[in-house]
Amino acid sequence: MGMSRRQFLQVCGLGAAGVIGAGALVGCGGSGDAPAAGSSPATEGSKGGKPVIFYNRQPSNSTTGELDMATLKFNENTYYVGFDADQGGELEGQMIVDYIKAHADEIDRNGDGVIGYVLAIGDVGHNDSIARTRGCRKALGTAVEKDGKIVSDAAGNNADGKSEVVKDGEIEVDGKKFTVRELASQEMKNSTGATWDATTAGDAITNWASSFGDQIDIIVSNNDGMGMSMFNKWSKENKVPTFGYDANSDAVAAIAEGYAGTVSQNPAVQAYLTLRLIRNVLDGVDIETGIGTKDDAGNVIAAEDFKYSEEDRSFYAMNLAVTAENADKFADATAVYESTQSQLDEKTSPKKKVWLSIYNSGDNFLGSTYQPLLEKYDDLLNLEVEYVKGDGQSESTITNRLADPSAYDAFAINMVKTDNGASYTSLLA
């Protein structure tokens, strides 16, 4: 049975003029049987439903890495914000190779001709973790391909170089050849199931050091939380170069103490994009306002610092290598992006309410870098954000706290598992 326009407006929480109110259901005014609501610039952006921004964990199949386009196309105003994972993984790998070449005289601690490294894997089913593992193995020549893709599985212990998921690589420096071997790698998952676990990484390096001793010439980590745990637990004292990812403030500071390098995933750009896309949809302006093109306040992101993939519905920040040569420029990981610091006019961008989830209250990068940046940008963009933190294990610790989606104007979602987009969109549908 069809419904009248008045009934449609009442169900969707709309006024008689068809303007979306705080109680509007996600998807109303979209592609259903009823007509789209409103036609003025102020409501134009809401035709496709309330903005839903997935960030940091891209909706995807944790086994194949295939993007979950059903989630990414939940409505016309759904996007993903992250960073170019492949570019970042390759950047970390190249940074390690450059370090080896620059320190060829002392890198082989026991002089056996084998540069041995251990690898801390954050989450074997996380696209970003997969890209970092693949990028490092590719650069070091230890990658094994299967079905046209580099294998990103953990190798376990591989002291003899006979693992099926990695192979020995080779690097030549000034005519001298070194074998490169992944001595060991494992997923850093704790007993409760939480991944990217720093404590587990600290325990792992203790075990690896006991097993391999001075065969370990380099430590590689999928993030700085795990990298710093291994650095503080063992590699700092033993002067073994450690490479991480995220450019967390403590890791950048530790470069002066021997932490070899990290990669900035441009968190200021990511955090800004996460909330800016919401602002643009709610204001009914072009999606790249204040991003690729200046807004009225002068906010804009330089073209070389981000890219947009329309096919993936995804905005990506570009990564930057952080080493002893430039660490001073990254000392404050929570500094806002230089050209996105201007306050928006509340007359044209009125206050709106946003529900934002963080998959794990204990995540070092999200807690110490990403959220502080979000809190700076929510004020600049006139957004009232409710921050909800999970336990890193179950989506329900987050979704159970979204009892009334109609109370919010927009949503920013950081999932526990990349497979679980439907856990959120089913609540918003």
Side-chain angles (χ1 to χ4, degrees):
M1 182 177 179
M3 74 170 63
S4 68
R5 176 171 172 76
R6 174 180 290 276
Q7 290 171 319
F8 171 73
L9 297 176
Q10 289 173 340
V11 169
C12 288
L14 310 180
V19 178
I20 289 186
L25 297 174
V26 172
C28 287
S31 58
D33 293 336
S39 59
S40 69
T43 62
E44 197 71 26
S46 299
K47 283 184 177 181
K50 292 182 181 180
V52 179
I53 309 302
F54 289 88
Y55 73 95
N56 184 255
R57 294 185 166 215
Q58 192 169 26
S60 57
N61 184 302
S62 61
T63 300
T64 66
E66 182 180 1
L67 296 186
D68 175 7
M69 295 310 300
T71 295
L72 288 167
K73 293 183 177 180
F74 167 64
N75 67 23
E76 292 179 13
N77 296 318
T78 299
Y79 296 93
Y80 170 72
V81 170
F83 59 96
D84 190 326
D86 292 337
Q87 179 249 352
E90 292 173 3
L91 191 63
E92 183 181 17
Q94 189 58 50
M95 181 169 57
I96 298 169
V97 170
D98 291 343
Y99 185 94
I100 291 173
K101 291 181 176 179
H103 298 83
D105 291 340
E106 70 267 15
I107 193 71
D108 184 6
R109 295 202 304 145
N110 64 359
D112 64 354
V114 177
I115 298 175
Y117 71 93
V118 292
L119 171 65
I121 297 174
D123 181 343
V124 293
H126 190 301
N127 272 7
D128 296 340
S129 184
I130 290 170
R132 294 170 197 178
T133 296
R134 286 175 172 169
C136 290
R137 287 176 175 172
K138 178 182 179 181
L140 292 167
T142 57
V144 169
E145 289 195 8
K146 183 178 180 181
D147 299 327
K149 294 182 178 180
I150 294 174
V151 177
S152 58
D153 298 340
N157 287 350
N158 183 44
D160 58 5
K162 295 182 178 180
S163 171
E164 295 183 357
V165 302
V166 290
K167 66 181 181 181
D168 284 354
E170 184 178 271
I171 289 179
E172 183 174 344
V173 185
D174 297 329
K176 184 177 181 180
K177 294 182 179 180
F178 295 93
T179 296
V180 182
R181 178 173 298 164
E182 186 171 305
L183 295 170
S185 55
Q186 75 176 64
E187 179 185 41
M188 298 305 165
K189 179 188 289 187
N190 67 21
S191 59
T192 64
T195 53
W196 304 87
D197 189 65
T199 301
T200 302
D203 294 340
I205 193 59
T206 299
N207 294 332
W208 286 336
S210 177
S211 298
F212 307 122
D214 60 7
Q215 294 179 68
I216 302 175
D217 301 309
I218 294 172
I219 294 173
V220 183
S221 176
N222 280 174
N223 79 353
D224 282 332
M226 300 182 299
M228 282 298 294
S229 180
M230 294 188 289
F231 180 72
N232 290 324
K233 195 81 173 275
W234 183 79
S235 62
K236 178 181 178 181
E237 179 180 352
N238 289 276
K239 301 186 185 306
V240 175
T242 302
F243 295 86
Y245 202 110
D246 287 338
N248 290 340
S249 294
D250 60 341
V252 174
I255 289 177
E257 301 176 327
Y259 196 74
T262 181
V263 176
S264 169
Q265 53 176 274
N266 240 333
V269 170
Q270 288 189 68
Y272 175 72
L273 285 169
T274 300
L275 297 182
R276 183 73 212 210
L277 293 172
I278 286 173
R279 183 76 266 173
N280 287 348
V281 172
L282 293 174
D283 289 349
V285 298
D286 183 86
I287 200 62
E288 287 209 28
T289 300
I291 300 173
T293 58
K294 284 187 179 182
D295 63 16
D296 291 341
N299 295 304
V300 70
I301 301 175
E304 63 268 21
D305 283 334
F306 83 100
K307 70 178 185 181
Y308 174 52
S309 171
E310 185 174 5
E311 181 181 4
D312 299 345
R313 303 286 297 169
S314 299
F315 282 82
Y316 301 106
M318 306 306 287
N319 302 271
L320 305 165
V322 184
T323 64
E325 286 69 36
N326 65 350
D328 58 314
K329 297 179 180 179
F330 296 86
D332 182 5
T334 65
V336 297
Y337 190 75
E338 185 176 2
S339 56
T340 60
Q341 301 185 31
S342 298
Q343 180 75 46
L344 296 191
D345 187 344
E346 198 167 342
K347 293 180 180 179
T348 53
S349 296
K351 286 279 186 182
K352 296 291 183 179
K353 192 170 183 180
V354 178
W355 185 91
L356 183 147
S357 72
I358 294 174
Y359 91 102
N360 186 355
S361 60
D363 186 277
N364 185 267
F365 170 66
L366 292 173
S368 66
T369 300
Y370 212 106
Q371 184 175 344
L373 282 164
L374 289 169
E375 290 172 344
K376 293 177 180 179
Y377 284 125
D378 63 22
D379 287 336
L380 291 172
L381 299 173
N382 303 326
L383 296 173
E384 181 183 342
V385 179
E386 179 178 336
Y387 295 91
V388 177
K389 299 181 180 181
D391 62 3
Q393 302 165 47
S394 172
E395 304 292 351
S396 62
T397 61
I398 300 171
T399 55
N400 285 349
R401 296 164 68 183
L402 183 56
D404 184 14
S406 67
Y408 303 91
D409 300 295
F411 307 88
I413 298 168
N414 174 228
M415 300 176 289
V416 174
K417 291 294 183 183
T418 61
D419 305 85
N420 292 338
S423 297
Y424 298 86
T425 56
S426 62
L427 291 174
L428 304 180

